[in-house]
Amino acid sequence: MNLFDIQQNEFVSRHIGPNESETNQMLDTIGVPSLEALVDKTVPGNIRMQQPLAIPASMSESDYLRHLKEVSLKNKVFRNYIGQGYYDTITPSVILRNIFENPGWYTQYTPYQAEISQGRLESLLNFQTMVSDLTGLPIANASLLDEATAAAEAMTMFFNALNRDHDHLTRPKFFVDNNVFPQTKDVVLTRATPLDIEVVYGDYKTAQPDATYFGALLQYPNDMGAVEDYRAFIEKVHAAGAYVAMATDLLALTLLTPPGELGADAALGSAQRFGVPLGFGGPHAAFFAVKDDFKRAIPGRIIGVSIDAQGNRALRMALQTREQHIKREKATSNICTAQALLANMAAMYAVFHGPQGLERIATRVALLANTIAEKLQAKGITVQHKQFFDTLVVKAPAETIRPKAEQAGINFRYFGADTIGIALDETTTIQDVNDILQLFDAGQVTAKTITAKAAAIPASLARTSPYLLHPVFNTHHSETEMMRYIKMLENKDLSLNTSMISLGSCTMKLNAATEMIPLSWAHWSKIHPFAPKDQTGGYKQITDELSEYLCQITGFDACSLQPNSGAQGEYAGLLVIRAYHESRNEGHRNIMLIPISAHGTNPASAVMAGFKVVVVKALENGYIDVDDLKAKAQAHANDLAGIMITYPSTYGVYEESVKDICSTIHEYGGQVYMDGANMNAQVGLTAPGLIGADVCHLNLHKTFAIPHGGGGPGMGPICVGEHLAAFLPGHVSLNKGTAQAVSAAPYGSASILLISYAYIRLLGTAGVKQASEYAILNANYMKARLEKAYDILYNGKNGTCAHEFIVDLRPFKTSAGIEAEDVAKRLMDYGFHAPTLSFPVAGTIMIEPTESEDKAELDRFCDAMLAIREEIRAVEEGKADKQNNILKNAPHTQFVITADEWSFAYSRQQAAYPLEYVKANKFWPSISRVNNTYGDRNLICTCEPVSAYAEAEA
């Protein structure tokens, strides 16, 4: 390779951890002569890809950034007054730099290990408090995927509350007001159809809900911008024994009576306009709040307050028994992720501005909107509604206005030939208002004339209740204070910039800075998802090329980038299978086979998509029991819709029988759905299409380098065979595809697709294959180092694992009273996040190092595990007490280590600095082991009064 080729391939060695010398040492430890030999030993020959992937060669980082800048200029940054749930916003620079662009915030994992997640848990608690205060409802979750999904979740929550027997529905109807956002109606209908929910559209003013309805959905302010008083309608719905959800706007709620005070049972919407860039549709955090009656049914995650082993205040994810990982096909939602990073940005926006700051922003927007309305009316132009917040709809000829507006770089919303929507936002200035007025030849205004006016909000709906009274929203208003607050929280959390996070099934690999940088560029971040096509050429090029690369990688023919999480991808893929069967007059096919080892979202998604789940057994070695599968496929031959499989399996092995499994399903008329969670062990080596699958989803936040962001964002696009292409999700804004939408925006969280595009372009055809090979190498090296000290569950037929492996900790419960959780907590003292705990097998840990970790980091983790094994041995041999030992007391906080009293039999040094490397870079857990039971019994999921903090410190 010459010097110039080396430059073009520079990113490969920056992404992949081990260098050539380390690679050779690792191969020696495993006992194989070469990387090729290891891959040949691991991946079955009958599924191997025989030719290189047809994707471009690798690029240097500087060439890539130059290329992407050129592509970005095909997007035109207009001033957007389209609205429809998406608004331009000003991201405070202190939040942009210290959260959005900071790996200490965007590389965190979901906060399942609360002791090393207290920072983002506090920020998410702030988010819940903000939502609860503004909506006037007591319980809020830590965010959902987008506003349309949140509306669908409200519908299914109400549906399940009033229809216990899904085979005999007593209340099948759901009312949706005509003036709900079109994309929300689209997703609600998609989600309603498989559950036999009858969606009834109408005007809330004349609707007559009766006992056949279970709920209703309203928009406040509505799709046309009008602020309506829904109190009488809500009373009607309640009188019929049904529930009401209100889709609403957090900024508007600083001035409007909140949904909780109007009687709504749930409120939902998007927190996007609280400082989160448009990004052509996402990622954005949806919010969701409910009355107390629904606290155990609310979808998504809830952050709750508990105590730790020292009795100190501790935060953690509450009521986890509701999650689909535990409830599987009995789950009422498949939501497996939140939009934590974006929820944290929105929460920080509220912290930074405070209640007065938010009210000032809202008032400015409302005054400007009313000023435009008055000037247009004075010109003789009809404004459709008298009462509105930020959006007015006017009667004017689009054919006259639109060309002038676009010439001026302005986007309005056009409802038809003579109706125009104008939605203002935080970024709108007096000059912008004058530019709008000029298009209608309606005069000009000044700051003086505007402030003399009032907002167009009816007195009966003006907000009187206070909000955001907690000190956190009234303290950090200078940039210095804000910067330090964000840093204080960041310091409590272990992220990828601290150490390896070796989570099996979750793939916490490098999220390279070059992949991330363009997300802040205006030509990507300021594009509205419903902007005209001639303004979005850059996004079209990226989505077209990325779709083609993903089709090449999966061996499929068509791709939808719309699903905005892995679970959403599962759901979309299953809807494709369902639509395919219906197109062949085989809509009765409703049986979905799912192996017992499957991810918990698989059965939950299948039930949501209208399928009945039949569980397939696993063998002792972790493989799918093919005999059981064949028997069940045959037994359900007439009704078999398909199977959901993960490959390599969730047990970390490439099952030799996978082609046989696929052909069996096809023989009985079913389709094969492949979960792409473990795609990191497939890319460039094999492919779902090659194996025999029909559809797969891809976790772009795993294999393709989108960061986990503390529990979201994610993306879950689906790729399908040619016979399924016609059934991919459609969208109301695209007017194509026979299927309905699964997400609010046509390309889901479009801006983060740039990250996966970058990953593929920077690594190139050889690099993406190498990533898979090194994922296998790193996992097998760690396995080789640990297998003498620990039992390793499930090997492939040649004794190797795929890209992850399972360490069995169950024997230590008998020998020493040590649980898997004790090992997970003790790893924190060594500076590591635990691997995946008790999934897919209770009492185990599943380790996936990824290709991005070098040998030194792998060795540090293995040294920690081997040292922990000796600590367990001390308990087994009676040298340490079974109840009061270093593992049971882990993690050890700085407060515990430095306390005047030390009552433990082991030394402070052993507790805090068990190995030499820990001394060089000590990460301190900020709380001792959290008490989950206490928190679930005493559910608190908003910021407590200040006295609670004072008591905790005392």
Side-chain angles (χ1 to χ4, degrees):
M1 202 182 278
N2 65 43
L3 282 174
F4 298 98
D5 289 340
I6 289 169
Q7 182 185 21
Q8 287 309 304
N9 283 278
E10 66 183 1
F11 183 76
V12 179
S13 59
R14 289 171 181 170
H15 176 80
I16 291 173
N19 60 29
E20 190 178 352
S21 162
E22 291 173 343
T23 300
N24 291 330
Q25 293 169 45
M26 291 159 71
L27 291 166
D28 284 347
T29 302
I30 298 166
V32 289
S34 67
L35 192 52
E36 293 74 26
L38 175 64
V39 173
D40 287 345
K41 201 174 172 183
T42 303
V43 187
N46 69 337
I47 60 163
R48 287 292 297 275
M49 202 172 267
Q50 297 306 313
Q51 65 286 325
L53 287 168
I55 59 175
S58 58
M59 300 176 85
S60 73
E61 293 181 65
S62 58
D63 279 358
Y64 172 75
L65 288 172
R66 194 159 44 244
H67 161 71
L68 202 68
K69 177 58 77 177
E70 287 167 9
V71 177
S72 77
L73 298 178
K74 295 180 182 177
N75 292 328
K76 297 173 190 167
V77 181
F78 277 34
R79 284 173 286 177
N80 285 302
Y81 306 112
I82 299 168
Q84 207 174 316
Y86 297 94
Y87 307 89
D88 203 0
T89 180
I90 299 166
T91 308
S93 298
V94 65
I95 296 173
L96 181 74
R97 173 60 56 90
N98 294 294
I99 293 187
F100 190 61
E101 297 176 344
N102 178 0
W105 281 88
Y106 67 67
T107 68
Q108 301 161 341
Y109 181 59
T110 306
Y112 284 119
Q113 297 293 344
E115 297 82 359
I116 50 177
S117 308
Q118 288 296 294
R120 91 201 74 146
L121 285 167
E122 179 168 324
S123 183
L124 291 172
L125 190 74
N126 292 344
F127 177 81
Q128 290 177 183
T129 305
M130 169 189 86
V131 170
S132 180
D133 276 13
L134 289 172
T135 60
L137 289 160
I139 309 282
N141 71 15
S143 79
L144 291 175
L145 301 176
D146 57 35
E147 179 169 339
T149 308
E153 291 289 342
M155 173 183 71
T156 48
M157 183 180 76
F158 295 161
F159 173 70
N160 288 315
L162 293 178
N163 290 285
R164 297 292 180 189
D165 181 356
H166 285 195
D167 293 323
H168 303 92
L169 302 181
T170 52
R171 289 175 169 264
K173 291 181 185 171
F174 186 62
F175 176 83
V176 176
D177 186 65
N178 290 331
N179 286 320
V180 167
F181 289 142
Q183 71 273 18
T184 301
K185 290 180 186 170
D186 213 10
V187 173
V188 163
L189 187 60
T190 300
R191 291 278 290 270
T193 305
L195 301 176
D196 293 325
I197 292 171
E198 184 186 336
V199 178
V200 179
Y201 300 105
D203 181 346
Y204 81 93
K205 294 189 187 78
T206 55
Q208 295 298 328
D210 58 31
T212 62
Y213 285 81
F214 64 83
L217 176 66
L218 304 165
Q219 190 92 40
Y220 175 71
N222 73 20
D223 182 43
M224 308 298 278
V227 173
E228 305 271 0
D229 190 338
Y230 294 120
R231 289 180 179 99
F233 176 74
I234 291 170
E235 283 172 17
K236 253 195 249 183
V237 175
H238 286 162
Y243 302 113
V244 178
M246 287 175 72
T248 187
D249 180 307
L250 293 178
L251 192 63
L253 294 183
T254 64
L255 304 180
L256 293 174
T257 303
E261 291 175 26
L262 297 176
D265 302 284
L268 57 100
S270 172
Q272 178 266 317
R273 68 190 309 175
F274 274 27
V276 181
L278 282 165
F280 202 44
H284 306 141
F287 63 86
F288 196 99
V290 294
K291 286 182 174 172
D292 196 65
D293 315 10
F294 290 102
K295 68 184 173 195
R296 289 179 191 274
I298 187 173
R301 298 177 177 142
I302 312 175
I303 308 309
V305 183
S306 188
I307 55 171
D308 74 357
Q310 311 297 317
N312 295 316
R313 173 182 183 269
L315 306 178
R316 85 300 176 237
M317 293 205 300
L319 301 177
Q320 287 187 49
T321 48
R322 302 168 311 114
E323 290 206 6
Q324 51 358 74
H325 293 92
I326 293 163
K327 297 187 82 171
R328 296 176 65 83
E329 68 271 17
K330 292 187 174 64
T332 53
S333 168
N334 70 342
I335 293 287
C336 177
T337 190
Q339 296 281 23
L341 179 69
L342 300 315
N344 285 328
M345 286 179 70
M348 289 297 182
Y349 180 92
V351 168
F352 192 47
H353 287 294
Q356 289 85 13
L358 293 179
E359 187 179 352
R360 281 195 293 268
I361 292 167
T363 305
R364 278 199 299 270
V365 174
L367 286 177
L368 291 174
N370 199 29
T371 300
I372 292 175
E374 289 185 0
K375 294 294 279 185
L376 293 180
Q377 282 169 323
K379 177 72 181 168
I381 295 168
T382 302
V383 176
Q384 281 202 2
H385 302 289
K386 289 189 173 66
Q387 298 169 342
F388 49 86
F389 165 57
D390 61 0
T391 301
L392 46 145
V393 174
V394 301
K395 288 291 181 187
E399 62 181 4
T400 310
I401 299 296
R402 186 167 189 161
K404 287 199 292 181
E406 292 183 354
Q407 183 70 34
I410 287 173
N411 284 330
F412 295 135
R413 184 176 172 197
Y414 300 96
F415 292 92
D418 64 348
T419 309
I420 300 173
I422 306 170
L424 305 191
D425 58 52
E426 177 191 11
T427 68
T428 309
T429 64
I430 294 171
Q431 182 57 53
D432 292 329
V433 167
N434 283 328
D435 291 346
I436 291 167
L437 292 173
Q438 191 173 348
L439 296 173
F440 293 90
D441 195 21
Q444 301 282 276
V445 295
T446 63
K448 193 174 178 183
T449 58
I450 292 169
T451 47
K453 299 184 187 309
I457 288 170
S460 63
L461 287 171
R463 181 160 193 149
T464 55
S465 53
Y467 50 87
L468 304 185
L469 297 177
H470 191 274
V472 76
F473 299 107
N474 295 279
T475 306
H476 310 289
H477 300 328
S478 79
E479 181 161 337
T480 306
E481 289 171 319
M482 190 65 186
M483 174 179 68
R484 288 177 184 156
Y485 179 62
I486 293 171
K487 187 65 182 174
M488 178 193 74
L489 297 187
E490 181 194 338
N491 287 344
K492 294 180 176 186
D493 285 18
L494 190 146
S495 309
L496 274 178
N497 64 356
T498 311
S499 59
M500 171 167 77
I501 303 178
S502 59
L503 285 149
S505 192
C506 282
T507 317
M508 299 288 290
K509 64 170 69 178
L510 171 73
N511 314 120
T514 295
E515 294 161 357
M516 302 298 296
I517 282 170
L519 270 65
S520 301
W521 295 352
H523 279 80
W524 299 114
S525 68
K526 283 193 168 287
I527 306 299
H528 194 287
F530 305 137
K533 284 182 183 162
D534 62 359
Q535 295 171 25
T536 60
Y539 269 114
K540 182 171 191 322
Q541 181 174 334
I542 295 299
T543 53
D544 285 353
E545 289 184 13
L546 180 60
S547 295
E548 176 56 29
Y549 302 155
L550 295 179
C551 284
Q552 292 292 335
I553 285 166
T554 56
F556 283 131
D557 303 291
C559 174
S560 168
L561 298 172
Q562 192 180 112
N564 53 3
S565 81
Q568 195 86 299
E570 290 173 20
Y571 180 69
L574 291 165
L575 289 185
V576 166
I577 290 174
R578 179 186 159 101
Y580 169 74
H581 288 312
E582 285 172 351
S583 76
R584 294 156 56 89
N585 296 318
E586 294 191 332
H588 61 275
R589 289 187 174 271
N590 68 342
I591 299 295
M592 190 60 65
L593 302 184
I594 301 183
I596 187 70
S597 60
H599 204 261
T601 53
N602 284 186
S605 295
V607 169
M608 279 172 54
F611 294 110
K612 287 191 162 46
V613 173
V614 172
V615 177
V616 177
K617 294 177 190 167
L619 299 172
E620 280 295 306
N621 66 0
Y623 283 28
I624 291 172
D625 183 335
V626 177
D627 290 341
D628 185 55
L629 178 137
K630 287 187 171 179
K632 283 171 177 164
Q634 189 175 13
H636 296 286
N638 294 333
D639 298 321
L640 183 65
I643 190 170
M644 299 182 81
I645 56 171
T646 302
Y647 199 78
S649 80
T650 314
Y651 292 149
V653 289
Y654 292 89
E655 296 182 40
E656 307 280 334
S657 57
V658 67
K659 280 197 154 182
D660 189 19
I661 290 168
C662 293
S663 60
T664 298
I665 300 302
H666 290 147
E667 181 189 339
Y668 293 107
Q671 294 283 288
V672 176
Y673 170 91
M674 187 172 282
D675 185 311
N678 294 339
M679 200 66 199
N680 210 41
Q682 280 196 47
V683 180
L685 301 176
T686 183
L690 200 60
I691 291 165
D694 299 287
V695 53
C696 79
H697 90 263
L698 300 167
N699 296 90
L700 298 188
H701 51 287
K702 296 182 183 181
T703 303
F704 296 95
I706 290 176
H708 281 64
M715 277 292 271
I718 55 172
C719 294
V720 299
E722 191 176 8
H723 62 294
L724 298 178
F727 309 106
L728 288 171
H731 196 276
V732 68
S733 72
L734 298 177
N735 298 320
K736 68 176 187 186
T738 54
Q740 299 292 323
V742 293
S743 301
Y747 297 98
S749 298
S751 66
I752 56 174
L753 295 171
L754 294 168
I755 301 166
S756 300
Y757 178 81
Y759 173 84
I760 293 169
R761 293 304 308 266
L762 289 166
L763 284 175
T765 185
V768 294
K769 181 183 178 188
Q770 263 181 279
S772 301
E773 292 170 336
Y774 272 87
I776 293 168
L777 172 69
N778 284 2
N780 278 282
Y781 172 68
M782 292 180 79
K783 176 176 163 292
R785 280 210 61 197
L786 296 176
E787 61 192 358
K788 292 186 182 70
Y790 294 94
D791 293 340
I792 308 297
L793 288 182
Y794 315 125
N795 288 314
K797 76 168 191 181
N798 295 321
T800 60
C801 64
H803 62 310
E804 61 190 3
F805 61 99
I806 297 174
V807 176
D808 193 359
L809 302 176
R810 292 172 298 183
F812 305 129
K813 186 170 183 179
T814 306
S815 67
I818 297 295
E819 309 262 3
E821 185 184 28
D822 300 323
V823 174
K825 302 307 180 191
R826 180 59 175 150
L827 272 168
M828 295 175 194
D829 290 331
Y830 286 84
F832 284 108
H833 192 294
T836 302
L837 185 65
S838 288
F839 174 81
V841 181
T844 66
I845 53 173
M846 180 160 59
I847 300 173
E848 179 181 353
T850 85
E851 70 276 11
S852 297
E853 302 298 342
D854 62 13
K855 180 176 178 291
E857 184 72 354
L858 304 179
D859 283 335
R860 277 190 286 274
F861 186 90
C862 290
D863 291 346
M865 286 296 293
L866 295 171
I868 287 171
R869 178 65 187 93
E870 293 311 307
E871 292 170 352
I872 296 170
R873 201 180 311 283
V875 181
E876 289 172 327
E877 294 173 355
K879 295 173 185 169
D881 186 78
K882 260 195 167 181
Q883 302 306 318
N884 185 6
N885 60 61
I886 205 162
L887 286 112
K888 289 288 180 191
N889 295 326
H892 298 80
T893 63
Q894 197 167 17
F895 177 80
V896 168
I897 293 292
T898 58
D900 292 340
E901 285 184 35
W902 183 260
S903 56
F904 304 123
Y906 47 90
S907 70
R908 296 176 199 257
Q909 176 92 359
Q910 191 185 349
Y913 299 106
L915 290 174
E916 198 60 33
Y917 78 80
V918 184
K919 295 177 185 173
N921 184 27
K922 176 67 180 174
F923 178 85
W924 290 102
S926 55
I927 57 166
S928 298
R929 197 175 302 195
V930 73
N931 184 330
N932 287 314
T933 310
Y934 177 91
D936 283 351
R937 284 185 186 147
N938 305 278
L939 184 66
I940 301 169
C941 54
T942 54
C943 296
E944 317 96 292
V946 187
S947 56
Y949 296 83
E951 286 161 19
E953 283 171 20

